[in-house]
Amino acid sequence: MNLSLYLLTVLIWGTTWIALKMQLGEVAIAASIAYRFALASLVLFAVLLLSGRLQEVDKRGQLICLVQGLCLFCLNFMCFYTASQWIPSGLVAVIFSTATLWNAINARVFFKQKIAANVLAGGALGLGGLALLFWPELAGHEASHETLLGIGLAVVGTLLFSAGNMLSSLQQKAGLKPLTTNAWGMLYGALMLVTICLVSGTPFSIEWNSRYIGSLLYLAIPGSVVGFTAYLTLVGRMGPERAAYCTVLFPVVALNISVFVEGYQWTAPALFGLFLVMLGNVLVFRKPKAVAPVAPASVA
């Protein structure tokens, strides 16, 4: 079950970049994200109400859902989208892949979980592999004030994503399932995005064509309803640090799709980077060897 959820998350998030590119145009980014999570929330609430699976959430749970919504379905996306205006998307992917390391550290700080050496090593290998995969894009970008600002926003977005992971893990420990908490979190995130648009004077326009509407539906239902539910379920089952290795793998899926869609060509450094990413994946999910108990010495 865990493997199926893991592969589902990687494949879905590895293809959402196509839909994201189709969203770029006349509609403001903040408005597009608001539409995405408002629709995703509506779908989740409808499914849960019709199936009788909507859980009751107390005031404490609602407060956590609110903060989780701001972290996972609002502010982090604003950070990543804004950062992408100033730094290459490859650099954003490399920074985002540090979520594996941040989740391991945060799980230690907030939940007193032991940091597994293989998870840290695997995360570091994956990060290095992604850097090699996107090296041509990174090397061709000149450093500037905007570059530093973009890097800072990408780091903040990654930290917000990690914080949302911790909050989801906390909710699951309290017995609340990701379907319910995501429904509320996406609703709160969409409301905050609407507020941001209203305060900033961003128009709520929409493109009534198959390209925009189709990409919106893909991002809202497979990309958000299915993708985030599968991923946060993994956070509860496998731990935040292992689940976050998805952030390393889905850029690899995106690059493989780019071979057919955009004519991307694999190079020797990129192939070595892919090898490091796969090796990191093996390390992250390697189970530690059980230590055999030492039998007490017999008394003569």
Side-chain angles (χ1 to χ4, degrees), residues 7 30-31 48 56 64-65 68-69 104 114 132 139 173 189 195 221-222 249 258-259 265 267:
L7 292 176
L48 290 170
E56 185 177 349
I64 296 175
C65 284
Q68 181 184 341
K114 183 180 178 181
L132 283 174
K173 291 178 187 296
T195 303
I221 300 174
L249 288 180
S258 183
V259 171
Q265 294 183 350
T267 62

Side-chain angles (χ1 to χ4, degrees), residues 35-57:
Y35 299 154
R36 170 183 178 176
F37 288 117
L39 179 57
S41 175
L42 179 64
V43 170
L44 272 174
F45 274 119
V47 170
L48 290 170
L49 287 171
L50 290 173
S51 62
R53 297 164 61 190
L54 182 64
Q55 294 177 279
E56 185 177 349
V57 184

Side-chain angles (χ1 to χ4, degrees), residues 9 27 126 143 217 249 269:
T9 304
V27 184
L217 290 173
L249 288 180

Side-chain angles (χ1 to χ4, degrees), residues 8-260:
L8 184 64
T9 304
V10 171
L11 290 174
I12 288 177
W13 283 359
T15 55
T16 52
W17 68 274
I18 302 174
L20 287 171
K21 290 185 70 173
M22 292 180 178
Q23 291 273 284
L24 300 178
E26 299 177 5
V27 184
I29 289 173
S32 286
I33 303 173
Y35 299 154
R36 170 183 178 176
F37 288 117
L39 179 57
S41 175
L42 179 64
V43 170
L44 272 174
F45 274 119
V47 170
L48 290 170
L49 287 171
L50 290 173
S51 62
R53 297 164 61 190
L54 182 64
Q55 294 177 279
E56 185 177 349
V57 184
D58 59 19
K59 290 183 179 179
R60 176 180 177 274
Q62 288 287 1
L63 179 60
I64 296 175
C65 284
L66 171 62
V67 181
Q68 181 184 341
L70 296 180
C71 290
L72 277 183
F73 311 121
C74 176
L75 299 179
N76 65 324
F77 276 91
M78 293 300 296
C79 286
F80 289 129
Y81 273 96
T82 307
S84 296
Q85 297 176 359
W86 294 316
I87 60 176
S89 58
L91 182 53
V92 175
V94 171
I95 295 173
F96 187 38
S97 72
T98 62
T100 301
L101 306 178
W102 286 117
N103 276 7
I105 294 171
N106 286 332
R108 172 62 179 172
V109 172
F110 295 105
F111 301 128
K112 307 302 179 184
Q113 294 181 7
K114 183 180 178 181
I115 300 179
N118 62 301
V119 172
L120 290 179
L125 278 177
L127 180 59
L130 273 190
L132 283 174
L133 282 168
F134 291 105
W135 181 250
E137 187 179 1
L138 305 183
H141 183 73
E142 296 181 1
S144 63
H145 173 73
E146 286 78 12
T147 299
L148 295 177
L149 186 58
I151 290 173
L153 284 171
V155 170
V156 171
T158 304
L159 291 175
L160 288 169
F161 176 81
S162 179
N165 285 205
M166 298 303 114
L167 293 170
S168 178
S169 181
L170 185 66
Q171 294 278 63
Q172 291 182 65
K173 291 178 187 296
L176 291 173
K177 296 181 179 179
L179 281 171
T180 293
T181 56
N182 281 358
W184 285 108
M186 289 177 183
L187 174 61
Y188 290 133
L191 290 175
M192 177 55 69
L193 287 162
V194 169
T195 303
I196 291 173
C197 290
L198 291 174
V199 171
S200 62
T202 302
F204 289 98
S205 59
I206 192 167
E207 293 185 48
W208 294 104
N209 55 55
S210 58
R211 174 187 60 82
Y212 185 85
I213 300 300
S215 60
L216 176 62
L217 290 173
Y218 185 80
L219 289 170
I221 300 174
S224 299
V225 173
V226 180
F228 272 102
T229 300
Y231 173 74
L232 293 177
T233 301
L234 285 174
V235 168
R237 290 184 173 191
M238 301 166 52
E241 68 283 1
R242 285 183 169 83
Y245 203 80
C246 291
T247 64
V248 178
L249 288 180
F250 74 74
V252 175
V253 174
L255 281 180
N256 278 286
I257 295 175
S258 183
V259 171
F260 303 99

